[in-house]
Amino acid sequence: MNDKDGAYKKHFNHIDDIVETISKEKEEIDADKTTPKATNYLGAINANIKHSAKLIQDNPIIKEHKVQIVSMRYDVHIGKAEQL
């Protein structure tokens, strides 16, 4: 996601570090290939969900107990969850 005017930079310098880190994640790069996230909020949300699920799945305790992590997105507008 971006801020076309860069207004966030006036108040939150640490956001630059966060945005830079997120932009290098595989899920973010893959999502950007389909539709640029700057104009695709759903793509950015899905990439974030997939990345979070991967981080959880890579946890040694999760691996040890062979827990399966399922990526889902809940839409508050329609009250339904969708598996990614």
Side-chain angles (χ1 to χ4, degrees):
M1 304 305 298
N2 71 13
D3 174 6
K4 70 177 180 175
D5 299 325
Y8 74 88
K9 292 181 181 184
K10 295 175 188 171
H11 305 287
F12 302 107
N13 294 335
H14 66 281
I15 291 178
D16 287 334
D17 294 336
I18 296 168
V19 170
E20 183 179 341
T21 299
I22 290 171
S23 69
K24 294 177 184 175
E25 295 171 355
K26 179 190 179 311
E27 296 82 4
E28 296 291 329
I29 293 168
D30 290 347
D32 231 10
K33 289 177 185 173
T34 306
T35 305
K37 294 180 303 303
T39 57
N40 180 13
Y41 296 106
L42 193 56
I45 291 167
N46 289 347
N48 184 40
I49 292 167
K50 290 175 184 177
H51 181 73
S52 296
K54 183 182 180 316
L55 290 176
I56 295 167
Q57 189 68 55
D58 290 345
N59 182 292
I61 295 172
I62 299 296
K63 284 183 173 186
E64 176 186 343
H65 294 283
K66 298 178 181 165
V67 175
Q68 181 180 3
I69 304 301
V70 178
S71 298
M72 309 268 311
R73 182 187 68 242
Y74 179 73
D75 187 327
V76 296
H77 300 291
I78 62 174
K80 293 186 178 184
E82 176 183 352
Q83 186 173 344
L84 302 180

